[in-house]
Amino acid sequence: MKKIFKILGGVLAIGVLAVLGFVVWVQARGIPTYDTPKLPVQPVAITPARVLQGQKIVTAMCADCHLDRQTNALTGKFINDLPPEFGKLYSANITQDKAHGIGAWTDAELVGLFRTGIGRDGRFRMVMPNFVHMSDEDVNSVIAFLRSNNALVQAKPIPSHEQEPSFLGKMLVNTVMKPTPVPTKPVLTPDTTDGVAYGRYLVVGRYKCYDCHSKDFKTNNALVPEQSEGYLAGGTRLLTPTGEEIMSRNITCDEETGIGDWTEAQFVQAVRYGKAPNGLLKLPMPKFSLMSEQEAQAIYAYLHTVPKLKNATAEDGAVAAR
Ligand code: HEC
Ligand code: HEC
């Protein structure tokens, strides 16, 4: 009997030491640093068409996190729509300022960050979404816009705020949240007349709807988005600008809990203008006001090919279960 207690005590002690060791390791590493990705990227030619396309993407995909309403430019701010469990996180100044913005970054360094999540200094940019499936042409358009003379990106000498991740934030960034590998092949925009293929591209590549609309950021699969838990069936917890908890909704075509009973016109209205059949959609659901009708229709067509999942969220009357 005594021997058993001794063994159990030993096992427990090793367990406690392992946990302590892990805690110390996570605290010491903080946000990890990696080798800076080296991509064979040529400087992006800035054309009016790219600046226009870039404006459309940046307005929909970057401004919600990077636009400071006080400066009316992409000077960075406190990220107020993430649950506080991740800590206090801030987006960066991405105006053309050489010291505080991205004025000194090369195009290759920007592409490296968008593809892998690793900055030019090697530090992993947690929270900054990676754009693994965005086409090379769309990435070039984003860069063309960042280099353009649009007021949002003109140099503003405002320092970016340092990150203050919680222990959970640090743990995630050292375990499950890892840089994504550099693409080995060119990433092409699919044929825009092939509704379903184009719609999939918009959902996983250009607008990343799946990022917010699956079960949880922690279980999303950046490389194979379709393998994210509860793909497109909603459930991710976010905060509204006034700090109330809000859950993303089921956008699979389940008739009861998803959007299976919506017409194409209703869907287009909801996505472009935030007008859903049962009321106005709140932030952080982005306003995709610059999205074309054709893009919204392609997304609608694609969603009809995605496996239906039953998942009741708040607007279906479900009470959030922890
Ligand atoms: C969910 C919020 C979010 C979205 C959306 C987002 N970013 Fe970021 N971004 C961040 C955060 C947070 C950081 C800072 C990370 C850090 O310093 O650890 C960052 C950092 C960056 C940086 C690096 C700047 C630096 O000095 O370190 C660039 C460049 C950038 N973002 C560009 C973009 C572009 C372009 C888009 C849209 C295509 C975008 N971001 C969308 C949150 C976001
Ligand atoms: C930053 C996170 C985020 C992104 C990205 C996002 N959404 Fe949403 N979406 C939400 C949230 C949160 C709601 C719930 C809003 C509410 O309750 O008022 C929502 C609601 C919706 C609804 C209403 C569904 C219903 O049943 O009423 C539709 C449709 C929708 N989103 C489509 C999209 C599409 C399509 C994309 C990509 C083009 C997208 N969303 C990208 C967060 C997001």
Side-chain angles (χ1 to χ4, degrees), residues 207-209 212-213 238 246-251 258-259 262 267 270-271 276 278 280-282 284-286 288 291 299 315:
Y207 298 121
K208 291 194 77 177
C209 319
C212 287
H213 276 281
L238 292 149
I246 190 168
M247 211 189 259
S248 71
R249 299 182 183 178
N250 187 347
I251 58 168
I259 57 152
W262 289 26
F267 181 80
V271 175
N278 58 357
L280 289 182
L281 297 174
K282 291 193 204 134
M285 167 67 189
F288 293 97
M291 181 190 281
I299 295 175
E315 83 288 1

Side-chain angles (χ1 to χ4, degrees), residues 12-47:
L12 196 69
I14 291 170
V16 168
L17 276 180
V19 170
L20 275 179
F22 179 71
V23 170
V24 170
W25 177 76
V26 164
Q27 289 289 19
R29 268 173 68 96
I31 301 177
T33 296
Y34 299 91
D35 289 340
T36 313
K38 298 268 181 295
L39 285 96
V41 170
Q42 300 301 316
V44 173
I46 301 178
T47 63

Side-chain angles (χ1 to χ4, degrees), residues 67-90:
L67 175 65
D68 180 352
R69 299 263 167 220
Q70 316 256 284
T71 61
N72 265 326
L74 303 180
T75 49
K77 64 175 181 84
F78 173 59
I79 305 278
N80 63 356
D81 58 5
L82 277 182
E85 59 174 345
F86 297 109
K88 281 189 165 167
L89 300 163
Y90 303 81

Side-chain angles (χ1 to χ4, degrees), residues 156-200:
K156 293 252 171 14
I158 298 171
S160 297
H161 202 292
E162 225 179 279
Q163 305 303 332
E164 298 165 15
S166 62
F167 179 73
L168 175 73
K170 286 185 205 158
M171 193 178 86
L172 288 171
V173 87
N174 278 291
T175 52
V176 289
M177 283 163 68
K178 292 278 178 189
T180 36
V182 172
T184 50
K185 287 186 283 201
V187 190
L188 303 174
T189 313
D191 181 355
T192 55
T193 59
D194 178 346
V196 172
Y198 189 44
R200 174 189 182 268

Side-chain angles (χ1 to χ4, degrees), residues 255-271:
E255 284 75 9
E256 206 188 322
T257 63
I259 57 152
D261 54 347
W262 289 26
T263 65
E264 184 188 74
Q266 285 174 324
F267 181 80
V268 171
Q269 279 281 318
V271 175

